């Protein structure tokens, strides 16, 4: 059952693993892409954490991870939703939210692809809890699951230590 859950998460969140395994965030670089047969240049903005030392970033990540863990526990309780029965799933999502909180200043959904993460974070639609979750209890990341979801566990609480242990710590 657990391997099935992991396969589903990998299918649903194809970019999550790349987000969490990247050692540093791209700063001041340009990337070309093709859109409607036109080549365009996309400027990637400097990350909010670009000027941090390794120690400062680690402290910021620990603080953000604690905040996102606390937020997730309160939100699950308030909405009557549950964590996935494989708690490594919510742990990885919470870590992704914390990463975005440090890098972008907002807990942007880590399971989606964005051409411009800063613009998306400012827009707010995909900031956790995203609009689909707030309006319809539909969580793309499978962080907050309704009782009728086949992957829903019985718990609405995950500790900071569990998150840290299940996602490999709070640093990249």
């Amino acid at each position: 059952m657990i391997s099935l859950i992991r396969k589903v998460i990998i299918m649903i969140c194809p970019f999550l693993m790349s987000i969490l395994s990247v050692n540093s965030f791209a700063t001041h670089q340009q990337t070309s892409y093709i859109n409607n047969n036109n080549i365009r240049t996309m400027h990637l903005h400097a990350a909010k954490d670009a000027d941090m030392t390794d120690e400062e970033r680690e402290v910021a990540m620990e603080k953000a991870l604690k905040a996102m863990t606390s937020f997730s526990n309160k939100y699950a309780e308030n909405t009557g939703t549950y964590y996935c029965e494989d708690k490594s799933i919510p742990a990885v999502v919470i870590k992704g939210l914390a990463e975005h909180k440090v890098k972008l200043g907002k807990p942007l959904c880590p399971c989606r692809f964005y051409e411009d993460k800063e613009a998306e974070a400012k827009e707010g639609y995909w900031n956790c809890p995203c609009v689909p979750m707030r309006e319809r209890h539909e969580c793309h990341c499978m962080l907050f699951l309704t009782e009728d979801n086949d992957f829903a566990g019985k718990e609405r609480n995950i500790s900071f230590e569990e998150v840290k242990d299940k996602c490999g710590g709070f640093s990249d």
Side-chain angles (χ1 to χ4, degrees), residues 6-23:
R6 288 176 197 244
K7 287 177 185 175
V8 169
I9 293 301
I10 288 169
M11 288 186 322
I12 292 174
C13 303
F15 298 102
L16 181 60
M17 296 315 293
S18 65
I19 291 167
L20 297 177
S21 65
V22 173
N23 204 12

Side-chain angles (χ1 to χ4, degrees), residues 61-124:
M61 269 303 299
E62 182 175 7
K63 182 179 175 182
L65 193 63
K66 284 179 180 177
M68 291 293 91
T69 301
S70 176
F71 155 75
S72 298
N73 289 335
K74 287 177 187 169
Y75 194 79
E77 184 67 34
N78 290 341
T79 59
T81 55
Y82 297 89
Y83 290 128
C84 184
E85 64 184 348
D86 176 357
K87 283 184 131 180
S88 66
I89 304 305
V92 171
V93 175
I94 291 168
K95 182 180 179 184
L97 291 169
E99 284 279 340
H100 282 159
K101 184 96 170 120
V102 170
K103 291 176 182 176
L104 304 168
K106 304 280 182 168
L108 184 66
C109 175
C111 297
R112 304 187 76 76
F113 173 76
Y114 311 97
E115 287 184 14
D116 185 342
K117 287 183 181 183
E118 276 197 9
E120 290 290 345
K122 286 178 186 172
E123 172 91 16

Side-chain angles (χ1 to χ4, degrees), residues 3-57:
S3 66
L4 174 63
I5 293 170
R6 288 176 197 244
K7 287 177 185 175
V8 169
I9 293 301
I10 288 169
M11 288 186 322
I12 292 174
C13 303
F15 298 102
L16 181 60
M17 296 315 293
S18 65
I19 291 167
L20 297 177
S21 65
V22 173
N23 204 12
S24 63
F25 188 75
T27 58
H28 298 295
Q29 59 179 314
Q30 295 182 345
T31 310
S32 295
Y33 66 98
I34 298 174
N35 185 9
N36 296 329
N37 298 323
N38 295 322
I39 297 177
R40 299 179 185 211
T41 302
M42 177 174 67
H43 298 278
L44 299 176
H45 304 284
K48 304 261 184 241
D49 66 341
D51 294 329
M52 288 184 186
T53 65
D54 289 343
E55 294 81 21
E56 290 170 330
R57 186 172 193 292

Side-chain angles (χ1 to χ4, degrees), residues 138-156:
E138 294 173 1
C139 182
H140 177 77
C141 299
M142 292 182 60
L143 178 59
F144 304 115
L145 301 173
T146 56
E147 190 173 27
D148 61 338
N149 188 298
D150 291 339
F151 299 108
K154 303 283 185 225
E155 295 187 51
R156 294 182 171 140

